[in-house]
Amino acid sequence: GSMMTVDFKHIGQCKLVKKPWGQETWIQAGSDVYPFVLKELVLKAGFVTSLQVHQHKTESIHLHQGTGAIIYHPEPFDCERFLAGGYSEEELAKIKSELITQELSPGAVFHTPTGTIHRMIADTQLRFVEASTCHLDDVIRLQDDANRSSGRIDSEHK
């Protein structure tokens, strides 16, 4: 077999993904050898991420710079039921009305388990590091300012 060795590169050589709200630098995109994903994200002031939920992916985030908030629902969302068309507009509206806002400042650390509806909001520019499982296309967008659909947006990954 081929020998594994330490792999060095500069952050400027990492994959950069442009988003409507800012950008992601993919420090580690995940593989058999590295069964995790590590990203640095910049969320521009005044922008928000999708109101999203993951069926399989879990995330841990450390905010380095900026102030804003995470908006989340305190109870797990049934992704399978949603994907099967099992939620009414009224139920979804009720869930959106129950979202909690947690203010964030530098040094904040939080974790989003599977089924957590969440969204980040930037009052000032946010710079944060996110570690996650390798379920990269696992995003269900319940609301999105750029009207993006669920899943991976190929045009962002050129």
Side-chain angles (χ1 to χ4, degrees):
S2 62
M3 287 284 293
M4 290 302 303
T5 182
V6 179
D7 178 18
F8 289 96
K9 62 171 67 160
H10 184 271
I11 190 88
Q13 296 170 284
C14 294
K15 176 176 173 175
L16 187 66
V17 179
K18 298 281 189 187
K19 295 285 187 176
W21 43 255
Q23 65 182 39
E24 300 177 342
T25 302
W26 292 30
I27 299 167
Q28 175 53 252
S31 69
D32 291 344
V33 179
Y34 303 105
F36 56 88
V37 175
L38 186 62
K39 299 176 184 176
E40 183 182 51
L41 295 91
V42 174
L43 180 56
K44 295 184 287 197
F47 282 78
V48 300
T49 62
S50 306
L51 183 66
Q52 59 187 268
V53 59
H54 309 296
Q55 194 170 4
H56 306 288
K57 184 163 84 161
T58 58
E59 301 165 319
S60 294
I61 290 175
H62 174 207
L63 179 63
H64 286 283
Q65 202 176 64
T67 55
I70 179 171
I71 293 181
Y72 68 97
H73 196 276
E75 289 159 28
F77 183 72
D78 188 339
C79 295
E80 273 183 47
R81 180 182 157 202
F82 175 79
L83 292 171
Y87 279 92
S88 68
E89 284 304 313
E90 292 76 22
E91 282 178 292
L92 292 172
K94 180 176 184 289
I95 287 167
K96 288 174 184 174
S97 75
E98 296 167 346
L99 296 172
I100 293 168
T101 301
Q102 171 65 49
E103 299 296 326
L104 299 174
S105 57
V109 172
F110 61 92
H111 311 279
T112 56
T114 303
T116 304
I117 294 173
H118 62 286
R119 153 179 274 171
M120 298 272 289
I121 295 187
D123 295 333
T124 64
Q125 178 178 282
L126 299 183
R127 184 180 293 272
F128 54 98
V129 170
E130 174 189 293
S132 77
T133 54
C134 292
H135 306 97
L136 289 170
D137 301 336
D138 174 25
V139 56
I140 296 168
R141 292 185 174 92
L142 300 177
Q143 205 174 311
D144 182 72
D145 286 8
N147 291 313
R148 292 172 302 161
S149 59
S150 294
R152 177 186 170 113
I153 308 295
D154 287 332
S155 62
E156 295 175 355
H157 291 260
K158 286 179 179 150

